[in-house]
Amino acid sequence: MLPVDLPGTVRDALLAPLVDHHCHGVRRDDLSRAGFELLISAGGVPAPPGTTHFDTPSGVAVRRWCAPLLDLEPHAPPAVYLARRAELGAGEVNRRLLAGAGVVAFLVDSGREDAGLLNAAEMGRHGGAAADELVRIEEIERDVAATAQIAVDYLDSLGEELAGRAARAVGVKTVIGPLCGLDLDPARPARGAVIAAANRRLADPKEPLTDPVLLSYLLWSGIDVARERGLPVQFHTGYGAPGTLPDHLPDHLPDHWADHGADHGANLWAGRRADPAGLGRFAAALQPLGVPMILLHPYPFHRQAAHLAGAFPHVYVDAGLALPHLGAGARVMDELLELAPFHKQLFSSGCHGLAESGYLGALSFRRALAAALATRLDSGEWSTADAARVAHMIGSGNARRIYRL
Amino acid sequence: MLPVDLPGTVRDALLAPLVDHHCHGVRRDDLSRAGFELLISAGGVPAPPGTTHFDTPSGVAVRRWCAPLLDLEPHAPPAVYLARRAELGAGEVNRRLLAGAGVVAFLVDSGREDAGLLNAAEMGRHGGAAADELVRIEEIERDVAATAQIAVDYLDSLGEELAGRAARAVGVKTVIGPLCGLDLDPARPARGAVIAAANRRLADPKEPLTDPVLLSYLLWSGIDVARERGLPVQFHTGYGAPGTLPDHLPDHLPDHWADHGADHGANLWAGRRADPAGLGRFAAALQPLGVPMILLHPYPFHRQAAHLAGAFPHVYVDAGLALPHLGAGARVMDELLELAPFHKQLFSSGCHGLAESGYLGALSFRRALAAALATRLDSGEWSTADAARVAHMIGSGNARRIYRL
Amino acid sequence: MLPVDLPGTVRDALLAPLVDHHCHGVRRDDLSRAGFELLISAGGVPAPPGTTHFDTPSGVAVRRWCAPLLDLEPHAPPAVYLARRAELGAGEVNRRLLAGAGVVAFLVDSGREDAGLLNAAEMGRHGGAAADELVRIEEIERDVAATAQIAVDYLDSLGEELAGRAARAVGVKTVIGPLCGLDLDPARPARGAVIAAANRRLADPKEPLTDPVLLSYLLWSGIDVARERGLPVQFHTGYGAPGTLPDHLPDHLPDHWADHGADHGANLWAGRRADPAGLGRFAAALQPLGVPMILLHPYPFHRQAAHLAGAFPHVYVDAGLALPHLGAGARVMDELLELAPFHKQLFSSGCHGLAESGYLGALSFRRALAAALATRLDSGEWSTADAARVAHMIGSGNARRIYRL
């Protein structure tokens, strides 16, 4: 499982159970080849004629690493892999892969209710692990907007819902980045502006929320709740993976962009505004509050995220890589260990839709960290004791401390 | 030639003839040392007193890899190399280096007519390969602007010229990036605005075209022609190489910048606006049309380009590196194989001015891909069959499919 | 000391004395653990409860590499290291570490007078090396603003002070990047605008200078002096290190940001506007003057800086890495050797506050360059003679030429 020989204590630390501090539910039903291919691709659209999403870094990783857990040879052809997957059934496949990840606790962003995905408790049961919830504030807003009639009720309900859901959660999560960019104004919006924005919002509650004033108000409300309850706040940054995007986006991006391009799709896909460097001012404004900010899957801006994690005492960086960026693991791990404090890095699988992504997320993290530590041990730059200690910190220790598990 | 031992099938795939999907003509005349040095440098200006452009990654590569094709020892001193080059004569040197590249087809952007450069047919003859043309739309516009009297004629002629040239070409190319940046408005410009812009243009047709409205109209006209004829559209992105820039730029950048800095030189050299991530919205607008977009030499923004290639079914990424960025080959290849679908990557040499750049482009591609595949085979992450298949896809298969060769 | 075996001439070139073309004074007093931890961290604030700044790439490097110079085992625990440091006393520790760096000349930016830091002459004495001064223009402006009464006196004094200080210096340095961003308008500000800005400035001379007009005037004044005296101008770029920031920033960033975020802290920390790519237009405007521009510690934007160094005859790139980015050395060195002309790269330690940073800066540079050259020699891409020559150029030769040492 590990690509290199390591001293026993380091090896044990790498193989110890992980805390997966950011994942989503996986599909409970059997998947067609078309459905499976969409879930391993970055775009959420079919591959061009004559090609297949299996000819991607993700596709190769699934065939190489997941096939053996389904009793197949490594590199099994896609058709063979999917046939065996159907033969075993989604339940068994999910159990094998999630349990194979070697995770002790899943922190699950269940996003919008979706009966097709395992919920947090089910993720735990399938993976033989504990499971806790993350509150995605934009999902709460969607529910409130659908029912509220007038601005004051809308704002009151937002506060109540946030407080209620946070009481049962271990962390708060925001996807404000894809919705209006990460270069956030650090000032709290004025009450009057919020009321006005709320009224506009209620006039068309079905639309995705992209109003910066209301999104900023929502974020600050989430931060206040997080502060009261001592919870960290997770920020969606970087290119992420399709599953980590607001649920309403992937389906109809192009039309959508025609309208909201500048604030929306451009930043979402083009990714320039997904650079967490844009959060610098906001991070500074948050520093006095002491609410931990966690920068999720910042790739390919992980160096910028690592710099912020080193510059601010309350900023943390996700050291995990979700599909479809899994393949970059070794390089990213090296670049994080070059830059970020070791007590500021956290593992996540970014698991979504496919149990394969949970298994591969954990496996690639362990393999990448193993390779990075072996290099440092071989050159004599690190001691064995430090390597083992840091592996424990990033794999689970930091998450236990920050999420108070 | 390859830096590592590989299984026979993989080795054969790497040594198989390549389709060079983007190159320019090389100089037909013998070159002075000053002239040669300008062509291996990034700036197109002489090296500072007491220094030489041979003390660059490009200069070292020429001495190491091209010297043997001129019957010299590797690492021959610059003076020796240039003396032998003159002795053999440009014709023989061009034949040896272009043939040495092992290319089966050159797709040539001949840019502005320049009798000093080999044209497409001559590139093919010297290289013992087929050759096809790419239509650079901004060059067509220059010719039309020089002759048209009134806006409607100008617009009509543009359409006719584009259609005529495209009928004899395998692809359309735009350098709109260096001219007004890649963060393009995805909307087609309104007819009225285009007429007004055309009139401004005809008032001063000698100036480089930097009007965003007219450039956008020109691009959409090129896209319409490409769609009718089933051709892909190549976008100049990244830092590129001197030769790939619009011909009128390098000479008088500084003055030029004083006037157009923000839209022009800044983006050209500073490169921040050369980030293909800026094309996200435009790519989304193009998706329904099904016209392939190819992101040329995106370095150092290749991770962003690879992400777009994974996110959009019609976006492709150039896996070649032109001088002067050749040296980054191994790292760039690794980063592309981590991120981009294998059926979305294409080889090019970015050859320009010097036949050395054609030879080195092919050589460094093969060496970089060989190293990247060897790593994946040694770790057991890839199968030999996949490695050989992917080498064929990137080296020639994808180009044959997309350009319908 | 070097991580790899190399031919004798290359080894000798790597171990030859270095010119450290950019460093600051180190603390002359004994340091508490709290004080020491602040100086090895990127943020200049204490580590979160339950953590330590020793659990960082910098902390590990200090324990591994500096401990032996203090007669300790590699990887000595932090408490043991600091106890031994106190036992020996700051004077002895500074002598051992600065002399251990193997530097023949320190070019020192003494910034604001600070009796707690060794001055240039003292740095030289402790390190057994020559020492010269760099003039930081923003520090001169602060002194002038504190005393001048009216705008004309202020401007006259600026010119006199700059000329006087430059007469005793080997280079001019600006930190305009962190103060108003690097995307500088290349035009000289108009006299009227400067007078008006000077009057505003004198109304509140205690505030940090963030007025773009006045900063631009100050920079051009520094450039004029540099041109007269044949001095290069150093630009603070990239994330830098805490010590390289304008002295008034680190203490009260958050409040400060609430006011000047957009122009100030955001660019300072977030770093996106610290990308030297933004200097493209300014570099073009400076090209005709022939004043060398040196891009200091551009990490993580070193590829962009390397590109500018290749594109402009008067632009140079710093190949050194200061704490806390030391760990990235090997990768950064590789990326610079892939892109930048070898006669455009310069070593610096970015030493500041801790003599450890001077020693580690030199050590990590030698180790990173050794590894990069070994790779190129093993693959046959470089000749031994070229490797030795380039090591001398980057380590000291280029600096001797540019600074006329």
Side-chain angles (χ1 to χ4, degrees):
Chain A
M1 178 189 208
L2 300 182
V4 286
D5 283 336
L6 288 159
T9 53
V10 181
R11 182 182 170 77
D12 295 346
L14 286 162
L15 298 179
L18 300 167
V19 172
D20 187 344
H21 85 101
H22 177 252
C23 62
H24 305 75
V26 302
R27 293 281 297 271
R28 67 174 71 252
D29 56 327
D30 295 326
L31 292 160
S32 66
R33 171 155 186 167
F36 189 92
E37 287 209 19
L38 286 187
L39 289 170
I40 59 171
S41 77
V45 292
T51 70
T52 164
H53 285 318
F54 272 99
D55 278 335
T56 58
S58 307
V60 170
V62 166
R63 289 170 48 216
R64 166 61 184 95
W65 297 111
C66 301
L69 271 73
L70 274 48
D71 314 315
L72 299 171
E73 289 298 311
H75 312 300
V80 172
Y81 183 84
L82 293 169
R84 175 62 178 165
R85 202 179 195 283
E87 185 179 43
L88 288 169
E92 175 62 12
V93 168
N94 290 340
R95 271 185 294 275
R96 291 189 183 193
L97 291 167
L98 292 178
V103 167
V104 63
F106 293 102
L107 310 193
V108 184
D109 166 15
S110 40
R112 177 195 289 182
E113 290 308 320
D114 178 343
L117 300 177
L118 300 187
N119 61 33
E122 294 170 312
M123 287 289 287
R125 273 202 301 281
H126 283 70
D132 285 294
E133 296 240 351
L134 303 165
V135 188
R136 194 198 289 181
I137 58 178
E138 290 81 8
E139 291 304 322
I140 291 180
E141 191 280 339
R142 188 210 313 260
D143 301 339
V144 170
T147 57
Q149 299 306 319
I150 62 172
V152 287
D153 298 348
Y154 166 84
L155 298 178
D156 292 347
S157 308
L158 262 189
E160 290 158 17
E161 278 299 310
L162 283 169
R165 290 287 302 279
R168 304 187 300 276
V170 294
V172 171
K173 176 182 175 183
T174 177
V175 292
I176 192 169
L179 294 169
C180 73
L182 288 172
D183 202 348
L184 302 174
D185 177 346
R188 285 175 185 260
R191 179 79 180 170
V194 172
I195 296 280
N199 282 316
R200 286 195 301 276
R201 172 63 171 159
L202 293 178
D204 197 354
K206 296 252 164 300
E207 269 303 286
L209 174 60
T210 57
D211 180 316
V213 171
L214 217 46
L215 282 166
S216 169
Y217 173 82
L218 179 64
L219 177 56
W220 276 107
S221 305
I223 288 166
D224 292 336
V225 169
R227 186 185 190 183
E228 285 159 23
R229 310 201 63 90
L231 306 180
V233 179
Q234 298 181 344
F235 286 74
H236 176 106
T237 73
Y239 290 162
T244 65
L245 303 177
D247 301 345
H248 60 277
L249 284 179
D251 329 327
H252 54 298
L253 267 173
D255 322 11
H256 191 80
W257 290 5
D259 318 331
H260 306 85
D263 286 339
H264 212 143
N267 122 55
L268 176 62
W269 286 119
R272 214 173 342 189
R273 292 179 53 209
D275 182 349
L279 279 170
R281 280 189 305 153
F282 195 84
L286 225 58
Q287 186 170 348
L289 280 59
V291 174
M293 290 175 66
I294 300 172
L295 309 179
L296 295 175
H297 43 66
Y299 183 84
F301 306 106
H302 48 284
R303 281 171 157 173
Q304 287 86 329
H307 175 71
L308 291 178
F312 291 103
H314 63 303
V315 175
Y316 297 80
V317 58
D318 183 357
L321 276 181
L323 289 180
H325 301 136
L326 214 54
R331 192 182 317 277
V332 169
M333 185 62 63
D334 247 334
E335 294 180 353
L336 290 178
L337 289 180
E338 286 166 1
L339 284 176
F342 312 131
H343 51 78
K344 293 301 201 76
Q345 303 182 44
L346 302 163
F347 160 73
S348 82
S349 69
C351 175
H352 187 280
L354 293 178
E356 281 84 351
S357 61
Y359 176 70
L360 290 172
L363 179 73
S364 65
F365 167 78
R366 285 185 169 109
R367 287 176 59 85
L369 184 53
L373 294 177
T375 307
R376 287 155 173 76
L377 290 171
D378 295 346
S379 66
E381 290 174 57
W382 283 38
S383 69
T384 302
D386 285 334
R389 196 166 54 86
V390 167
H392 273 299
M393 290 167 72
I394 303 180
S396 60
N398 294 336
R400 290 183 189 284
R401 185 177 79 249
I402 299 158
Y403 292 97
R404 306 185 176 176
L405 303 178
Chain B
M1 178 189 211
L2 300 182
V4 286
D5 284 335
L6 288 159
T9 53
V10 181
R11 183 182 170 75
D12 294 346
L14 286 162
L15 298 179
L18 300 167
V19 172
D20 187 344
H21 84 101
H22 177 253
C23 61
H24 305 75
V26 301
R27 295 281 297 271
R28 65 174 72 251
D29 56 325
D30 295 326
L31 291 160
S32 66
R33 172 156 186 166
F36 190 91
E37 286 209 20
L38 287 187
L39 289 171
I40 59 172
S41 77
V45 292
T51 71
T52 163
H53 284 318
F54 272 99
D55 278 336
T56 59
S58 307
V60 170
V62 166
R63 289 170 48 217
R64 165 61 184 96
W65 298 111
C66 300
L69 271 73
L70 274 49
D71 315 316
L72 300 171
E73 290 297 311
H75 312 300
V80 172
Y81 183 85
L82 293 169
R84 175 60 177 166
R85 203 182 194 278
E87 184 179 44
L88 287 170
E92 174 63 13
V93 168
N94 290 340
R95 270 186 296 276
R96 290 188 183 194
L97 290 167
L98 292 178
V103 166
V104 63
F106 293 102
L107 310 193
V108 184
D109 166 15
S110 40
R112 178 195 288 182
E113 290 310 318
D114 179 343
L117 299 178
L118 300 187
N119 61 32
E122 294 170 311
M123 287 289 286
R125 273 201 300 281
H126 283 70
D132 284 295
E133 294 240 353
L134 303 166
V135 187
R136 194 198 289 182
I137 59 178
E138 290 81 7
E139 292 304 322
I140 291 180
E141 191 279 340
R142 188 209 315 259
D143 301 339
V144 170
T147 57
Q149 300 306 318
I150 61 171
V152 286
D153 298 349
Y154 167 83
L155 297 179
D156 292 345
S157 309
L158 263 189
E160 291 158 18
E161 280 298 311
L162 283 170
R165 292 286 301 278
R168 303 188 299 276
V170 295
V172 171
K173 176 182 174 182
T174 177
V175 292
I176 191 169
L179 294 170
C180 73
L182 288 172
D183 202 348
L184 302 174
D185 178 345
R188 284 175 186 260
R191 179 79 180 171
V194 173
I195 296 280
N199 282 317
R200 288 194 301 276
R201 172 64 172 158
L202 293 178
D204 197 354
K206 296 251 164 301
E207 270 302 287
L209 173 60
T210 56
D211 181 317
V213 171
L214 218 46
L215 282 166
S216 170
Y217 172 81
L218 179 63
L219 177 55
W220 277 107
S221 304
I223 288 166
D224 291 337
V225 169
R227 186 185 190 183
E228 285 159 24
R229 310 201 64 89
L231 306 180
V233 178
Q234 298 182 343
F235 286 74
H236 175 106
T237 73
Y239 290 161
T244 65
L245 302 178
D247 302 345
H248 59 277
L249 283 178
D251 329 326
H252 55 299
L253 267 174
D255 324 11
H256 190 80
W257 288 6
D259 319 331
H260 306 85
D263 286 338
H264 211 141
N267 125 54
L268 175 62
W269 285 120
R272 214 176 339 193
R273 292 179 53 209
D275 182 348
L279 278 170
R281 280 189 305 155
F282 195 83
L286 224 58
Q287 186 169 350
L289 280 58
V291 174
M293 290 175 68
I294 300 173
L295 308 179
L296 294 176
H297 43 65
Y299 183 84
F301 306 105
H302 48 284
R303 281 172 159 173
Q304 287 86 329
H307 175 71
L308 291 177
F312 291 104
H314 62 303
V315 175
Y316 297 80
V317 58
D318 183 357
L321 275 181
L323 289 180
H325 301 137
L326 214 55
R331 193 183 317 277
V332 169
M333 186 61 64
D334 246 335
E335 293 179 355
L336 290 178
L337 289 181
E338 287 166 0
L339 283 177
F342 313 130
H343 50 79
K344 293 300 202 77
Q345 303 182 43
L346 302 163
F347 160 73
S348 82
S349 69
C351 174
H352 186 281
L354 293 177
E356 280 85 349
S357 62
Y359 176 69
L360 290 172
L363 179 74
S364 64
F365 167 78
R366 285 184 169 109
R367 287 176 59 85
L369 184 52
L373 293 177
T375 307
R376 286 154 173 76
L377 290 171
D378 294 347
S379 66
E381 290 173 58
W382 283 38
S383 70
T384 302
D386 286 334
R389 197 167 52 87
V390 167
H392 272 300
M393 290 167 72
I394 303 180
S396 60
N398 294 335
R400 289 183 189 284
R401 187 178 78 250
I402 299 159
Y403 293 97
R404 306 184 176 176
L405 303 177
Chain C
M1 178 190 211
L2 300 183
V4 286
D5 284 334
L6 288 159
T9 54
V10 181
R11 182 182 170 76
D12 294 347
L14 286 162
L15 299 179
L18 300 166
V19 172
D20 187 345
H21 84 102
H22 177 252
C23 61
H24 305 75
V26 301
R27 294 280 297 271
R28 66 174 73 252
D29 56 327
D30 294 325
L31 291 161
S32 66
R33 171 157 185 165
F36 189 91
E37 286 208 21
L38 287 187
L39 290 171
I40 60 171
S41 77
V45 292
T51 71
T52 163
H53 285 318
F54 271 98
D55 278 335
T56 58
S58 306
V60 170
V62 166
R63 289 170 48 218
R64 166 62 183 95
W65 297 112
C66 301
L69 272 73
L70 275 48
D71 315 316
L72 300 171
E73 290 297 313
H75 312 299
V80 172
Y81 183 85
L82 293 169
R84 176 60 178 166
R85 203 181 195 280
E87 186 178 42
L88 288 170
E92 174 64 12
V93 168
N94 290 340
R95 270 186 295 276
R96 291 189 183 193
L97 291 167
L98 292 179
V103 166
V104 63
F106 293 102
L107 309 193
V108 184
D109 166 15
S110 40
R112 177 196 287 183
E113 292 307 321
D114 179 343
L117 299 178
L118 299 187
N119 60 33
E122 293 171 311
M123 287 289 286
R125 273 202 300 281
H126 282 70
D132 285 294
E133 295 240 352
L134 302 166
V135 188
R136 194 198 289 182
I137 59 178
E138 290 81 7
E139 292 304 321
I140 290 179
E141 190 280 339
R142 187 210 315 260
D143 301 340
V144 170
T147 56
Q149 300 305 319
I150 62 171
V152 287
D153 298 349
Y154 166 84
L155 298 179
D156 292 347
S157 308
L158 262 189
E160 291 159 16
E161 279 298 310
L162 283 170
R165 291 287 303 279
R168 303 186 300 276
V170 295
V172 171
K173 177 182 175 183
T174 177
V175 293
I176 191 168
L179 294 169
C180 73
L182 288 171
D183 203 347
L184 302 174
D185 178 346
R188 284 176 186 261
R191 180 78 181 172
V194 173
I195 295 280
N199 282 317
R200 287 195 302 276
R201 172 64 172 158
L202 294 178
D204 197 354
K206 295 252 165 300
E207 270 302 288
L209 173 60
T210 56
D211 181 317
V213 172
L214 217 46
L215 283 166
S216 169
Y217 173 82
L218 179 63
L219 177 55
W220 276 108
S221 305
I223 288 165
D224 291 336
V225 169
R227 187 184 188 183
E228 286 159 23
R229 311 201 63 90
L231 306 180
V233 179
Q234 298 181 343
F235 286 75
H236 176 107
T237 73
Y239 290 161
T244 65
L245 302 178
D247 302 346
H248 60 275
L249 284 179
D251 330 327
H252 55 298
L253 267 175
D255 323 10
H256 190 79
W257 289 5
D259 319 329
H260 308 83
D263 286 339
H264 212 141
N267 122 54
L268 175 63
W269 285 120
R272 213 173 342 188
R273 293 178 53 207
D275 182 348
L279 279 170
R281 280 190 305 154
F282 196 84
L286 225 58
Q287 185 169 350
L289 280 58
V291 174
M293 290 175 66
I294 300 172
L295 309 179
L296 295 175
H297 44 66
Y299 184 84
F301 306 105
H302 48 285
R303 281 172 158 173
Q304 287 86 328
H307 175 71
L308 291 178
F312 291 104
H314 62 303
V315 175
Y316 297 79
V317 58
D318 183 357
L321 275 180
L323 287 180
H325 300 136
L326 214 53
R331 193 183 316 278
V332 169
M333 186 60 64
D334 247 334
E335 293 180 354
L336 290 178
L337 289 181
E338 287 166 1
L339 283 176
F342 312 131
H343 50 78
K344 292 299 202 76
Q345 303 183 43
L346 302 162
F347 160 73
S348 82
S349 68
C351 174
H352 186 280
L354 293 177
E356 280 84 351
S357 61
Y359 176 70
L360 290 172
L363 179 74
S364 65
F365 167 77
R366 286 186 170 108
R367 287 176 59 85
L369 184 52
L373 294 176
T375 306
R376 287 155 174 76
L377 291 171
D378 295 346
S379 66
E381 290 174 58
W382 282 39
S383 69
T384 301
D386 286 333
R389 197 167 52 86
V390 167
H392 272 300
M393 290 167 72
I394 303 180
S396 60
N398 294 335
R400 291 184 189 282
R401 185 177 79 249
I402 300 158
Y403 293 97
R404 307 183 175 177
L405 303 178

